[in-house]
Structures are given as structure tokens and as C-alpha cells.
Amino acid sequence: MRNWSVGISVMVLTLIFIIRYEQSDHKLPTNHTVDDASIEGESVQEPAKKKPHFMTLEDLDYLFSNKRFYGEEEDDELNNGFLVWSRMRPFIERPDALPETAQGIEEATLAMKDLVFLIYKEKRASSSDMVSKEIRRNCPGFVAAFDGDLSGLRPVLELPCGLIEGSSITLVGIPDVHSRSFQVQLVGSGEARRPIILCYNVNFSKPFLVQNTWTEKLGWGNEVRCPLHGLVKNQIVDDLPLCNEQTDRIVLEESSNEDAVMDLVIGNADFPFLKGSPFTATLWTGLEGFHMTVNGRHETSFAYKEKLGPWLVSAVKVSGGLKLLSASATRLPVTDDHAFLPIEEKLKAPPLSGTRIALLVGVFSTGNNFKRRMALRRTWMQYEAVRSRKVAVRFIIGLHTNVKVNLEMWREAKAYGDIQFMPFVDYYGLLSLKTVALCILGTKVIPAKYIMKTDDDAFVRIDELLSSLQEKPSNALLYGLISFDSSPDREQGSKWYIRKEEWPLDSYPPWAHGPGYIISHDIAKFVVKSHRQRDLRLFKLEDVAMGMWIQQYNHIVERVTYINDKRFHNSGCKSNYILVHYQTPRLILCLWEKLQKESQIVCCQ
Ligand SMILES: *[C@@H]1O[C@H](CO)[C@@H](O)[C@H](O)[C@H]1NC(C)=O
Ligand SMILES: CC(=O)N[C@H]1CO[C@H](CO)[C@@H](O)[C@@H]1O
């Protein structure tokens, strides 16, 4: 009886929500990735493309309007994760917005709608005792497919929660004896024409390997071809060359006679793939790019392209002249089971007191970095100053394009209360919007004397930082590892490449390195106010952008203090640190243990 009434009330509420949404001149919600029986009956049409619609808190309220269903308590949880969301609107809708903004907002709006559908679906399933395993196990740590499952066009592997640094995909197969080529593709999620985050093409005609990306908007990117053709010879990704030297040698031995080339291929062990011979190929994700190992030898590397990071991958496709024997992916992002297990009280963010705190730390993170966030919660977020609310730590996260990742983040936000969602998808080019969001958070929501920006792979010694801050000015301060004399990277293709239109001058003003810097409250206030008045430019490198904004502040106040401290390490670790960067979750736990058990400020390797 009870189940019945819950089911009906869900249907009624869903209908009300659809009607209200229709009336409010918004795009109708569609079930992009979720099939929901109660929606499928409706005839839903995609309206023509409009200017991206910023989803306001009011819109979110529509989506979550259903207090009777969720209960007041969950409604608060909703609001807790969206404290900056609606305040971001004026900063996002400016005409000189960063290039990725429109796409970022549009995709986030769709992602939010998909998420609401999934939450409805889950609630309904659990209230009618049909809790499905599929919903519970959103993010598997390992997926595999063997022989029988591997035919046809559908992806050979689905990766619902993307890849993280250290994930790997292993394919075992045999190129056909008459194969001309075969391809492995890592595709993203989203609309019908999914982006290709890596297309790996093995071509036997020459032979060569080609790596590239594809998006609907930009088409194919700049390919990397092995054997290399001169030019980019010395480029490295995560300390690895773009192509294996032995593969490169094929070019030198190459003959103009096609038959001779064919003989060479079949008999030449220097090309990693041989027709008719089984291979084991492992594609793994580093910090900077994808790497391919074939039969135990590193063959190729490919730097991640902007907006096409490994976290966006949602499936592996294989095509061409190849018999695939097995495919598997391991070390995928998994979550703690926050939704179903009791949460340790000490891991939850202490409630806000409302009074001004000493320090707010904003940790820039991204959707599927579940492990990294848990590592911080268990380590430096346990400092007494954090537990006693003198310091607050919040993760600043954009939405993901995959609904399952968003659902996991949603659960995580509810469980720990330390996540602030951004109204856009987490593209690298939008990082400085997060910086603005952090300034809003530290001035309007959690007022703090100092505001710090850091990353989810950094370890911060909060105690040492606080005592160090004690003797620093309370106003007009930038504190961290400061670059006083640096210039824009004009090398096309570099991750830091800056066009003249973005920054015409030959040097940057002083700026502090992104893994960890601290600003005083007045600077944050200035940043928020001046952005609202559009007096400040947006710039895609968030740490340099902060330096530019502070320089402008300095024109007004003429007394900004820049304090450089070499104990902030922006790459790697050195003992007696305040902050270290590029630390894996395992290293973060190790650093904490060394501090706790041995009172030693030393690195772990
Ligand atoms: C393989 O290379 C040949 C010669 O360069 C080219 O004509 C052919 O289109 C390539 N095949 C694929 C699938 O890329
Ligand atoms: C309205 C709409 O988009 N419906 C889709 C919901 O999802 C199913 C399965 O994924 C599709 O077949 C429907 O077209």
C-alpha cells in the first residue's frame, strides 16, 4: 500500500515538475542518459539551440521542489553544496567570458537535469524495495570483456566514471593477417556525436601509428605520428618520448619499394604490432598524457588536449582488422560507499559558526578524483585547527559530463558537507572562474581573514601555515611561491600557450604558483567587486590571473606585500615543507603518518 502511494506521488510530482518547467520557458528536461519510464511516455522535443541557459537556484528549486519527498533535511543538504552557485551568474554571463564558458554552462545544465532524473529514479527504487545493484555500483574499479562479448560495433568497454591518473586499459588481440589497419578509440560521454579523447590508429601500410583527438566542433586535432617526422623530436610527456626510438628507426630503413616495406613489417620486430601475431597493449594515464605499452615496451605518448582530459572518457571502442581476445580496464576511480555505510563523524565538515574564521582553504578538485578527496579528509583536514573551525576547507568542483560521476559527487557532498558545486563543467580553461568563486565563498559565505587556493593532490601543513601567517600583514597580502619575473609561453601547442590577444605584454606581473597561495580578505573582496563591475579581465591560467588582479589592486592601494616562501613546493616534495604538490593519495597518507607518528617533516617516495 505504502509503496503504491510513493510510486504515484513520484509520478505526480514528476509531471508537475515537467509542467512547471515547460511553463518557465526553459528547455525541457530530457533523459539524456537515464531512461525513466514515467518520462518516456511524454513526447519530449529538443528546442532549437539558444544562448546557453544559466541554471539559477530557482531552477534548481524546481528540480528539487519536492520537499515532501526529500524531507527538509535533504533540502538543506542541497543548499549547502550550492552556496556560491547562483552568485556566479554575473561572472559567467559577461560578454567577454572565457571561450569555454558557454559550452561549460550548457553541459552543466544538462548534467544537472540528468542527475535529478537519476536521483528520482533511485529514490523510487529504494522506496519500493527494488534497490538495483546497477544503481549502487556506479563506479566499478575494474571492468573486463572477453571473446564472446567483443563482436559488433558497440563499445568493448564502458567506463561510467571515467579514468584518473594511473588507470590503465589492456587489450589482447591479434591483427588479421591481411589487416590494413585497426583503431582503438577512447570516447567521451554526451550527445550522439561523442568527442574522441584519443584515437589510436595502427596502420600497416607504411607502417605507422597515429594518435589524435576529434570533437564535433573542432574536428580532428594535431596528430602525433610514429615514427616521428623530425620537428617535435624532443617533446616528452611525463618524462617519456612521444615515440619509441626503435620504432623511429623504421623510417631510416624504409625503402621506397612497397613490397620491401611489407616484408619489413612482417619480419621487423621494431614495429610493435605484427600481422597475425598476438599482442598485449596497455594504454595508461599519466599526469600529462596517455601512454601506450605494447608487449612490455613503451611505444607512444600523447599529451592530453584541452577539454579532452582522461576524466571524460566513458567508453573504449575498437574497430578495423583485428581479432580482439580480451579487453579490461583497471585502477578506475571508485568511491567509498558513503551512501550506504555510516560516515565517520570526524570526516564530516564541522558546521559553520557564522563568525569570521582565520583561514578558508579552497581545494580545486574534479568529479572522479574521489580517492584524492578522501585522502585529504583523512589527513591534513584532520588538523585541530580545521576540526575546531578556525580553518574551513572546501572542495570547489564543476560538474562532470557523466551522470554517474555526478550522482557519486552528490552523495559525497551530502555525506561530508565539504563540496561546493560550480555551475559549469570542469574544463581546465574555466579554472579562474573557480578562483572567483573561491573569493565569493571567502567573503560572502564563509568570511575568512585569509583565503587559500590549493589542489587535491597537494598536502598542506595547516599548523605551520597558521603560525607563519601570524607574523604576516592582514591586508593586501599575496603569500606563496612567487614568480616575480616570468613571461607568457608563446610556443603553440604548449599547455600554457598564450596568444597575444590574451596577454599582449612580454611579461607577467608577480604571481604565486597555483598549488598553494594565500590572499588576504581585502584582495578577495576587491576581486569579487571588480569582476562584478567588469573591471578585471578573465585569464585562463588561474594563478597568473590572480597576479594580474592583484597588480590592479596595487595600482589603487599601492601597498600590496608579496611574500615569497620557498617552503611551498609546486612540483614534488622537499623536507621542511609547508606545502607539497603532485602527491598521490598513498603519498598523502604517508606524509600524514610521518608527521603524526614520527613528528618528521620529510617526504615519502
Ligand atoms: C593507412 O595509410 C595509408 C597510406 O598512408 C592511407 O592511404 C590509409 O588511408 C591509412 N588507413 C587508415 C585507416 O588510416
Ligand atoms: C525522450 C528521450 O530522450 N528518450 C530516451 C530515453 O532513453 C532511452 C534509452 O536510453 C531512449 O531510447 C529514449 O529515446
Side-chain angles (χ1 to χ4, degrees), residues 7 69 86 117 158 205 227 313 334 367 422 491 512 545 582 598:
F69 191 53
S86 56
F117 274 102
E158 299 272 7
S205 71
V313 172
V334 289
M422 296 289 105
E491 187 122 355
Y582 293 142
E598 303 160 31

Side-chain angles (χ1 to χ4, degrees), residues 476 522 550-562:
D522 58 328
I550 291 175
Q551 185 189 43
Q552 227 160 306
Y553 186 54
N554 204 18
H555 288 323
I556 303 167
V557 297
E558 291 185 352
R559 56 176 174 80
V560 170
T561 315
Y562 294 91

